[in-house]
């Protein structure tokens, strides 16, 4: 039954207003609705990246949903102003059809319909326009992009009836579950709100450790039926709407993907039992590395809710077993960390991740690059390595060792690729949610002179990649780009795959997870009719030359394999 809430008379003074104001939360309940309100403290743990103006937020609990928090939309946007550009919001209310439309800068409409219980927008990305960029890091420094191809054929619509949630309307306002608000308005921008019944912790990126989160009255207690239903519904919402590998995993509705035993554990009121179900789903059933559990729910004992090797499925197990073997092999050969090592006319650059340093890590107060910037940022790391190679002299071949590179920042990967070529580098993506195909090209300013047309790459060298199963995600994309552009030869084993960017979010019970998002990296192919085809790179890139894992860090053996290519 649809709920309608009525404001106390103060609100009636603002009938004609189309801009948001921070009202108090007083209201009277109608005969269909019983509700109570709790004021929660906002704890900003992301202050290095985002200023959050509010320190309190009212959450609403409707009897039908017991302890599942709902929040009034404009109070939500107002509390997190700083992250949201609150002053540029406006709204329109259609009282006859129970439709509330949110605008940002008088465009980008998001429509909330409490009769149909739906949320509609032109694209999921409409929820991003109103959010701020992280202030501590300049990801696009030294990058210039152009758009070469764009095709899109979809709109974004969610029917909350499918997931047991409601758009609850009131006079010139709507209430929505905190889970839905966080997922749509925050998570896509990298921000997340961890609610524990007492406080709301604001975090950025993946969060693996948050001890204060478990200091709450519900910790180690049994969960209510309404909370378990909301948690399962939020899980299905996440994997129905925002998961990029639905087709790969062979389902349309995630609830049908789950077997009866798993569902029984998911609905269990015992926190460790339902946490065990999450582990089975993520690590054994889905079994792909971009999807993982970041934090157990606030009901769990964090000392007992752990992921171990026994929780892994086949691919997770193979990946981490091989990683342990290769690290041991490398440590035996390289007794001290070496960014660059040499063998005759070959240099080997070890690059284990793609990272972009913060502004403070890269620059001093006078905006000069710090001497140790290379320790935090892949662009400066490559400069550091190339300086060593040029000072060494006599080098013709460079191997970029990505064998233990598990990925990282897409922007950092793009900058590294720019060291290999002055050509425009294509990046093709497909958003499975919006059916959006895009091909961009980018160039990298290697010498930092703001000239993107000069020839400053190190393409006078013969470049090679060393890859294996632990070459994953952004490193897998680097392998695909390297092969597509014929920048050199790939040596080793098939890369570990990973075609999706990641999305971190929080389920209704406070479980923090990261998933393969709908934003997927693609290899450009061609259909029989000559049209472009965007092919998945989820299952990895084959090497040009097979090379044994046990010889990966034997420089002489690697040089011999490379020399054999030209023979």
């Amino acid at each position: 039954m649809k709920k309608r809430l009525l404001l106390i008379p103060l609100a009636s003074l603002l009938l004609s207003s189309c801009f948001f104001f921070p009202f108090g939360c007083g209201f009277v309940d109608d005969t269909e609705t019983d509700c109570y309100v709790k004021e929660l403290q906002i704890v900003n743990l992301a202050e290095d990246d985002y200023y959050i103006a509010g320190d309190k937020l009212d959450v609403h609990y409707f009897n039908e949903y017991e302890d599942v928090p709902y929040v009034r939309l404009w109070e939500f946007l107002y509390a997190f102003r700083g992250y949201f550009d609150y002053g540029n919001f406006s709204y329109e209310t259609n009282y006859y059809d129970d439709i509330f439309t949110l605008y940002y800068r008088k465009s980008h409409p998001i429509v909330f319909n409490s009769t149909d219980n739906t949320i509609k927008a032109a694209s999921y990305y409409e929820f991003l326009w109103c959010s701020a960029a992280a202030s501590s890091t300049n990801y696009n420094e030294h990058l210039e992009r152009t758009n070469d191809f764009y095709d899109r054929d979809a709109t974004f619509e969610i029917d909350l009836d499918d997931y047991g949630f409601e758009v609850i309307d009131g006079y010139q306002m709507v209430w929505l579950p905190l889970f839905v608000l966080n997922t749509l308005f925050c998570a896509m921008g990298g921000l997340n709100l961890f609610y524990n019944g007492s406080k709301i912790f604001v975090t950025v990126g993946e969060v693996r450790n948050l001890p204060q989160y478990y200091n709450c009255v519900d910790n180690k207690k049994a969960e209510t039926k309404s909370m378990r239903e909301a948690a399962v519904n939020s899980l299905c919402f996440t994997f129905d709407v925002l998961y990029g590998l639905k087709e790969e995993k062979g389902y349309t509705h995630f609830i049908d993907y789950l077997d009866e035993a798993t569902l029984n554990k998911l609905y269990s009121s015992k926190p460790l039992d339902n946490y065990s179900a999450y582990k089975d789903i993520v690590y054994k059933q889905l079994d792909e590395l971009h999807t993982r559990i970041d934090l157990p729910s606030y009901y769990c004992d964090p000392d007992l809710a752990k992921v171990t090797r026994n929780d892994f499925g086949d691919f997770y197990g193979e990946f981490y077993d091989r990683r342990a073997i290769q690290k041991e092999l490398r440590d035996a050969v390289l007794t001290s960390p070496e960014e660059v090592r040499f063998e005759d006319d070959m240099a080997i650059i070890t690059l284990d991740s793609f990272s972009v340093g913060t502004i403070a890590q890269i620059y001093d107060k006078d905006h000069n690059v710090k001497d140790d910037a290379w320790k935090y940022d892949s662009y400066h790391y490559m400069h550091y390595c190339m300086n060593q190679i040029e000072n060494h002299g006599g080098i013709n071949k460079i191997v970029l060792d990505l064998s233990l590179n598990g990925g990282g920042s897409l922007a950092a990967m793009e900058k590294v690729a720019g060291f290999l070529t002055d050509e425009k580098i294509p990046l093709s993506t497909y958003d499975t949610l919006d059916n959006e195909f895009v091909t961009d090209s980018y160039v990298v300013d290697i010498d930092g002179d703001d000239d993107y047309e000069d020839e400053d790459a190190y393409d006078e060298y013969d470049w090679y990649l060393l890859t294996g199963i632990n070459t994953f995600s952004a490193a897998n994309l680097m392998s695909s780009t390297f092969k597509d552009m014929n920048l050199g030869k790939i040596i080793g084993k098939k890369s570990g795959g990973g075609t999706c960017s990641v999305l971190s979010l929080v389920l209704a019970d406070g479980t923090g997870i990261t998933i393969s998002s709908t934003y997927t990296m693609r290899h450009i192919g061609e259909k029989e009719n000559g049209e472009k085809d965007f092919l998945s790179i989820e299952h990895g890139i084959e090497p040009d030359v097979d090379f044994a894992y046990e010889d990966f860090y034997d420089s002489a053996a690697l040089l011999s394999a490379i020399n054999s290519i030209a023979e």
Side-chain angles (χ1 to χ4, degrees), residues 6-17 21-28 72 74-75 91 171-173:
L6 302 177
L7 286 178
I8 58 176
L10 171 64
S12 66
L13 300 176
L14 295 152
L15 273 170
S16 61
S17 173
F21 295 91
F23 288 96
C25 64
F27 59 88
V28 295
R72 189 159 54 180
W74 64 30
E75 284 193 347
Y91 69 88
Y171 186 72
Q172 293 188 333
M173 69 175 64

Side-chain angles (χ1 to χ4, degrees), residues 139-283:
Y139 288 95
N140 290 319
E141 186 178 30
H142 308 302
L143 279 172
E144 184 175 80
R145 305 179 191 276
T146 57
N147 179 254
D148 301 324
F149 177 80
Y150 176 84
D151 182 45
R152 182 172 167 273
D153 182 25
T155 56
F156 178 77
E157 180 175 352
I158 296 174
D159 186 343
L160 289 183
D161 280 337
D162 293 339
Y163 305 102
F165 297 121
E166 274 197 77
V167 177
I168 300 175
D169 74 321
Y171 186 72
Q172 293 188 333
M173 69 175 64
V174 288
W175 281 260
L176 291 156
L178 181 59
F179 157 76
V180 173
L181 289 171
N182 177 67
T183 300
L184 297 183
F185 283 94
C186 297
M188 193 68 177
L191 198 77
N192 269 301
L193 310 178
F194 282 86
Y195 157 95
N196 69 357
S198 303
K199 297 178 180 179
I200 295 173
F201 296 92
V202 183
T203 68
V204 64
E206 296 177 44
V207 180
R208 303 295 178 86
N209 186 38
L210 195 60
Q212 60 269 50
Y213 183 49
Y214 300 96
N215 184 20
C216 62
V217 296
D218 288 324
N219 184 240
K220 303 177 187 177
K221 289 186 177 179
E223 299 175 49
T224 64
K225 178 182 178 182
S226 62
M227 178 55 73
R228 289 319 308 152
E229 289 175 347
V232 175
N233 285 333
S234 68
L235 183 73
C236 291
F237 177 104
T238 297
F239 284 95
D240 280 354
V241 178
L242 302 173
Y243 188 56
L245 297 177
K246 284 175 62 176
E247 184 177 351
E248 179 83 20
K249 299 301 178 183
Y251 71 85
T252 300
H253 303 292
F254 193 66
I255 194 73
D256 299 327
Y257 182 79
L258 306 175
D259 60 37
E260 185 177 353
T262 301
L263 278 171
N264 286 338
K265 284 203 297 182
L266 271 179
Y267 281 114
S268 172
S269 64
K270 298 178 180 179
L272 290 179
D273 284 354
N274 57 63
Y275 178 74
S276 175
Y278 288 138
K279 289 196 297 182
D280 286 345
I281 293 166
V282 168
Y283 297 106

Side-chain angles (χ1 to χ4, degrees), residues 357-465:
T358 65
I359 295 170
Q361 288 171 332
I362 297 173
Y363 296 105
D364 63 20
K365 60 183 178 61
D366 297 317
H367 206 68
N368 297 312
V369 176
K370 292 181 177 180
D371 291 339
D372 64 348
W374 64 272
K375 295 180 179 179
Y376 309 102
D377 185 279
S378 297
Y379 173 86
H380 293 284
Y381 178 89
M382 288 296 292
H383 272 297
Y384 177 83
C385 292
M386 294 311 300
N387 286 338
Q388 289 191 49
I389 290 170
E390 294 200 318
N391 290 336
H392 182 279
I395 298 301
N396 297 311
K397 311 176 186 73
I398 301 178
V399 178
L400 192 56
D401 180 0
L402 304 181
S403 61
L404 291 176
N405 189 314
S409 164
L410 175 61
M413 183 238 94
E414 292 172 329
K415 294 175 193 180
V416 170
F419 279 78
L420 280 57
T421 180
D422 285 311
E423 296 179 37
K424 286 187 175 181
I425 303 171
L427 174 67
S428 296
T429 62
Y430 172 52
D431 192 315
T432 62
L433 181 59
D434 285 344
N435 288 325
E436 180 183 76
F437 293 94
V438 177
T439 297
D440 291 331
S441 292
Y442 61 90
V443 290
V444 184
D445 178 20
I446 297 300
D447 57 12
D449 63 355
D450 292 326
D451 184 350
Y452 288 87
E453 296 182 0
D454 60 348
E455 296 182 354
D456 50 8
Y458 293 91
D459 56 1
E460 67 269 27
Y461 296 98
D462 295 327
W463 285 91
Y464 302 86
L465 294 189

Side-chain angles (χ1 to χ4, degrees), residues 16-21 73-74 77 85-93 100-112 130 172 185:
S16 61
S17 173
C18 64
F19 294 94
F20 280 167
F21 295 91
L73 176 60
W74 64 30
L77 298 173
D85 183 12
Y86 181 82
N88 281 300
F89 285 117
S90 57
Y91 69 88
E92 180 180 86
T93 303
F100 181 95
T101 303
L102 176 70
Y103 296 95
Y104 178 67
R105 296 186 181 274
K106 299 182 180 180
S107 60
H108 308 293
I110 302 171
V111 180
F112 302 88
C130 57
Q172 293 188 333
F185 283 94

